[in-house]
Amino acid sequence: MTDSPMFRSPLDPKEQPILDKILIIRDKLSLLKQDRSTYIKSSDVVIHYDDLIVQVDLLNKIRANKRNEQNRVDTVLDDCFQLISLFFLTIGRNQEAPAVYSVISTVKRLLDHLGEAGFYSPKDLESLSHHIDDWQASIERGRDTHPPSLITLLEARIDVCRKKLNELLTALSKLDPQMMGTYEKLVSILRSLSACNTRSKFPAKEVKDFEAQLLKMQEDLHEERLPHEGKTAEQVYAEKVASLSLSDGEVQDGETVVKALLARCLLWVEVIQEKQGKIDERFQETYDKLVKIRNTLEQMNLTQAWSLRETDLYSFQRQLDRVDEARVNGNFMDAEGRPADLHAQRTLLYLLRKSYAFIYQYLVSSEPVSEALLPIYNQLLTLKRCLIEVKRSGGVDSPRELYPYSMKLNSIDNMKKDGKFMVGNDIPEGQASVSALLAECFELAYELREKNQEAAESAHATPSEVQASA
């Protein structure tokens, strides 16, 4: 069991029974998560969710006059809500308030890391803003069906995210369209350089190519490379970051932001060329752990649509949370309490942020369909893409070309019993989504068949018929 970092506050004796109960709930959720023998049903999840809410209500009564209390009860509660949230995604109840809990926690960390890194793309923020609006709508819909304690908690977390998001947006508000294009290219290059810095073999030529692009941009902006006689590139980089922060409340003009980021990119090139992909040995263990998590999450991208169970992300979340929360004032610390050097600090932060970004990507792309129906849903998605591609490339030359698609669609349609896709005697969540997708595929196939028939009729029409129709 991968636990959250523990608070050391003493436990009120009245809270001990609650802790005992929620530990049991967490264990049951963990066992349910590990069971791959069958798909997860709504009833399996809701019973634990209801039990958890009972304990939250009891805890709120005990803490009526000490709302800011934080101890092990809170960390275990967070584990439970994270799992419940991922389970709601797994069973296809994505639009309900509990499903928001896990993803909004991930977004909060992402926003903090973007601000801490000091560079980000407006596109990053647009995506986050759009999804936050969707989650707010889910919370509003759940106001009458879910306990006020959960709704209040989720609203508070969304408010925190909105505030941080607005701060980050404001920091870029003085970038005009021309400067914005240069800025986004620099963000892309800096991220690419950070990725190069974490490869198993340092790609020296690729880094040189990025450096050449940066020098060309420097020439276009009529800038000169920052001199640093008597100082290392790391020292000057740290000074540059400290002199201009995108999250300190002060809004800089666009030219200043772009030139500062260009200087950072060129200094970072020097730093990673000197290090050649080698991390301070004090942080080798943390580095190896984060690289392994990042690589595993990245590889999941190849099979995610077919095999990912959202609850699989829980252990990755918790491992990353432990690393993130072990930092002191944002610094990664060694075993003796000494902070990391700038190279290790920025490298570890990049890996941490990249891993959370993968988790965010998987959470927001989770389909509103139970895992029991996911194989059918994914087959239909593939059929839809194929039919759209056929339509885009000019249609079919013969109705026979549509036979494989029609046979597969009819095969899926015949799986329904009384208009529902059943698994045994159960009716899994996501019926509307699967049926709507099936209808879209049938409609596309029908359009292609009609278009082919019209083309055939036109080809066989006599000149007089063509003239008459005109």
Side-chain angles (χ1 to χ4, degrees):
M1 180 74 211
T2 307
D3 202 354
S4 304
M6 291 184 186
F7 286 96
R8 299 301 179 188
S9 302
L11 184 68
D12 185 330
K14 294 179 183 177
E15 294 185 11
Q16 186 62 51
I18 295 174
L19 176 60
D20 294 340
K21 290 282 179 59
I22 60 177
L23 281 169
I24 292 171
I25 293 171
R26 188 180 69 174
D27 289 344
K28 288 179 178 178
L29 289 169
S30 299
L31 289 172
L32 183 61
K33 176 175 75 73
Q34 294 164 16
D35 184 5
R36 292 278 184 171
S37 62
T38 184
Y39 79 94
I40 296 171
K41 306 177 184 67
S42 286
S43 56
D44 297 332
V45 178
V46 171
I47 188 172
H48 299 308
Y49 172 61
D50 290 342
D51 289 345
L52 187 63
I53 293 302
V54 169
Q55 300 307 313
V56 170
D57 290 340
L58 290 172
L59 182 65
N60 286 339
K61 290 177 183 178
I62 293 173
R63 292 187 180 177
N65 298 317
K66 46 178 181 176
R67 292 297 185 189
N68 295 325
E69 179 77 13
Q70 289 284 299
N71 55 43
R72 194 175 177 222
V73 173
D74 300 275
T75 62
V76 180
L77 267 178
D78 184 53
D79 288 338
C80 291
F81 274 118
Q82 289 279 7
L83 280 165
I84 289 288
S85 181
L86 293 170
F87 273 120
F88 265 73
L89 293 173
T90 302
I91 62 178
R93 295 171 66 168
N94 304 43
Q95 306 302 317
E96 296 192 35
V100 173
Y101 188 96
S102 181
V103 69
I104 203 67
S105 299
T106 301
V107 166
K108 169 64 169 62
R109 292 185 186 274
L110 270 179
L111 289 168
D112 287 342
H113 294 160
L114 288 174
E116 189 178 347
F119 67 96
Y120 45 85
S121 165
K123 292 176 183 176
D124 299 330
L125 306 183
E126 287 168 12
S127 169
L128 291 168
S129 179
H130 168 73
H131 286 296
I132 286 174
D133 289 341
D134 288 344
W135 301 325
Q136 181 71 61
S138 295
I139 293 170
E140 291 300 325
R141 284 195 301 271
R143 194 172 293 281
D144 297 328
T145 54
H146 293 281
S149 53
L150 176 65
I151 299 299
T152 301
L153 173 62
L154 293 174
E155 285 183 324
R157 292 194 172 197
I158 283 206
D159 287 344
V160 169
C161 289
R162 283 195 190 281
K163 182 179 178 183
K164 186 66 181 178
L165 184 67
N166 288 334
E167 288 176 6
L168 298 179
L169 284 168
T170 301
L172 301 181
S173 60
K174 291 190 177 180
L175 280 165
D176 60 40
Q178 182 179 355
M179 280 294 180
M180 182 61 78
T182 305
Y183 172 83
E184 289 183 333
K185 186 174 181 181
L186 287 169
V187 168
S188 176
I189 290 175
L190 189 47
R191 285 180 175 169
S192 298
L193 287 169
S194 295
C196 289
N197 182 48
T198 58
R199 300 260 187 90
S200 55
K201 182 180 180 182
F202 186 74
K205 183 181 182 304
E206 194 172 336
V207 172
K208 272 290 183 188
D209 290 341
F210 283 124
E211 184 179 22
Q213 291 182 48
L214 292 169
L215 291 172
K216 177 65 170 63
M217 294 172 74
Q218 183 184 53
E219 182 182 334
D220 293 342
L221 290 170
H222 308 293
E223 282 289 285
E224 294 183 0
R225 202 156 185 169
L226 280 177
H228 51 86
E229 291 82 1
K231 295 181 181 179
T232 66
E234 283 188 76
Q235 290 172 324
V236 181
Y237 185 99
E239 290 171 3
K240 199 68 184 172
V241 172
S243 68
L244 190 141
S245 170
L246 290 179
S247 57
D248 60 5
E250 183 179 354
V251 182
Q252 303 283 347
D253 65 88
E255 186 174 351
T256 301
V257 170
V258 167
K259 289 182 176 179
L261 186 55
L262 173 61
R264 282 181 61 184
C265 288
L266 287 165
L267 288 165
W268 188 238
V269 166
E270 287 188 56
V271 171
I272 65 174
Q273 285 175 331
E274 180 184 341
K275 297 290 184 180
Q276 292 288 304
K278 293 181 175 62
I279 198 85
D280 185 333
E281 62 181 14
R282 295 178 299 149
F283 297 92
Q284 187 68 49
E285 184 178 346
T286 303
Y287 175 81
D288 291 342
K289 180 178 182 177
L290 289 176
V291 166
K292 183 179 180 181
I293 292 172
R294 189 273 312 266
N295 291 347
T296 303
L297 289 168
E298 188 172 23
Q299 290 162 8
M300 286 168 67
N301 195 39
L302 301 174
T303 59
Q304 177 234 352
W306 296 95
S307 63
L308 177 68
R309 176 184 273 187
E310 284 79 1
T311 50
D312 295 341
L313 298 172
Y314 174 78
S315 62
F316 296 110
Q317 284 180 322
R318 280 305 179 233
Q319 290 178 72
L320 294 170
D321 292 350
R322 292 197 71 145
V323 172
D324 198 15
E325 293 177 24
R327 295 194 290 158
V328 178
N329 296 324
N331 293 313
F332 292 89
M333 312 297 284
D334 66 11
E336 297 178 8
R338 296 173 299 175
D341 60 22
L342 183 136
H343 174 258
Q345 172 75 15
R346 306 305 288 191
T347 300
L348 295 175
L349 178 62
Y350 164 77
L351 288 169
L352 196 59
R353 182 185 58 76
K354 187 68 175 176
S355 297
Y356 275 119
F358 276 123
I359 290 175
Y360 166 76
Q361 175 188 331
Y362 297 142
L363 291 175
V364 298
S365 60
S366 173
E367 301 291 354
V369 173
S370 165
E371 63 175 345
L373 297 183
L374 212 48
I376 298 173
Y377 188 80
N378 286 326
Q379 288 178 56
L380 288 170
L381 279 178
T382 302
L383 283 167
K384 180 181 175 182
R385 291 192 201 101
C386 292
L387 289 166
I388 289 174
E389 188 56 39
V390 170
K391 184 178 180 180
R392 186 182 294 122
S393 60
V396 294
D397 296 325
S398 164
R400 288 182 177 274
E401 294 179 34
L402 291 171
Y403 285 176
Y405 300 106
S406 298
M407 288 175 64
K408 186 61 180 177
L409 290 172
N410 285 321
S411 169
I412 292 174
D413 192 37
N414 290 334
M415 294 170 67
K416 292 191 289 187
K417 297 178 183 177
D418 298 326
K420 303 287 185 184
F421 290 96
M422 308 282 287
V423 177
N425 295 322
D426 298 318
I427 304 175
E429 302 281 347
Q431 297 289 327
S433 297
V434 177
S435 295
L437 188 54
L438 178 61
E440 283 185 65
C441 291
F442 271 122
E443 182 65 24
L444 282 166
Y446 176 77
E447 288 177 11
L448 288 167
R449 190 176 294 108
E450 286 292 296
K451 185 176 180 182
N452 175 257
Q453 289 177 353
E454 289 174 7
E457 289 171 2
S458 297
H460 289 91
T462 64
S464 58
E465 288 174 331
V466 173
Q467 187 175 5
S469 63

